[in-house]
């Protein structure tokens, strides 16, 4: 019987490794944002598992909102075109915004989002990403919280998808090439 894991070449980060990293990042955020008006902004849909687990490691009051932007479609390479599909529900003026993202690749998506959100006058705006894939970076980004630096493989699981699938794997793995070739 077919199982999702048959399509995975290698597990890069186990559930335990993800949990440990989230504890570490959550502690830092709790310290850095004490006394501030922290608002976590998750980028749908990839950030959902990371957001859900990171949130529980933050022990100071915070609010949460989500945005959706267009991404890769069915290909594994970025199109360079960013579109807002769902905007925030709340205003961010005066808030200390922390964008929560699954992975930064070219940086095009986040560079665009940062520009757009900065115009709404938040008190501060920073990035927390679980994975950073610097090899194909096109836009310089200042990432305040970074989980792991990863090589230029196509990764799936824990929110990351290929053609909307594999988001529900509890770990992060490398997709076998014959799945997308
Ligand atoms: P960027 O604009 O190139 O930085 O693209 C960032 C977005 O591309 C992420 O939020 C992911 O949705 C997607 N992405 C980048 N690399 C991967 C990958 O290895 N697997 C799955 N999605 C990826
Ligand atoms: Mg994404």
């Amino acid at each position: 019987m077919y199982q999702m894991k048959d399509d995975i070449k290698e597990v890069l980060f186990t559930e335990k490794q993800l949990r440990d990293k989230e504890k570490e990042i959550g502690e830092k955020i709790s310290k850095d944002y004490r006394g501030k008006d922290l608002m976590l902004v998750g980028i749908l849909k990839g950030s959902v598992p990371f957001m859900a687990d990171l949130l529980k490691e933050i022990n100071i009051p915070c609010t949460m909102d989500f945005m959706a932007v267009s991404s890769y479609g069915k290909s594994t390479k970025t199109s360079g075109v960013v579109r807002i599909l769902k905007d925030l529900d709340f205003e961010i003026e005066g808030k200390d915004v922390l964008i929560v993202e699954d992975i930064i690749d070219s940086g095009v998506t986040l560079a665009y989002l940062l520009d757009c959100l900065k115009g709404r006058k938040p008190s501060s705006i920073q990035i927390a990403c679980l994975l950073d894939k610097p090899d194909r970076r096109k836009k310089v980004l200042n990432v305040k919280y970074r989980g792991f630096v990863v090589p230029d493989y196509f990764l799936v699981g824990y929110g990351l998808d290929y053609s909307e699938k594999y988001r529900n794997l509890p770990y992060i793995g490398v997709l076998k090439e014959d799945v997308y070739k």
Side-chain angles (χ1 to χ4, degrees), residues 71-72 101-103 105-109 133 153-155 161:
S71 166
Y72 287 9
E101 178 62 309
D102 49 0
I103 184 167
D105 185 13
S106 70
V108 170
T109 312
K133 209 196 250 183
Y153 298 144
F154 197 75
L155 307 174
D161 72 302

Side-chain angles (χ1 to χ4, degrees), residues 155-174:
L155 307 174
V156 293
Y158 198 64
L160 295 166
D161 72 302
Y162 169 62
S163 211
E164 296 301 323
K165 286 191 292 187
Y166 306 101
R167 293 193 198 275
N168 55 321
L169 281 174
Y171 50 82
I172 290 171
V174 181

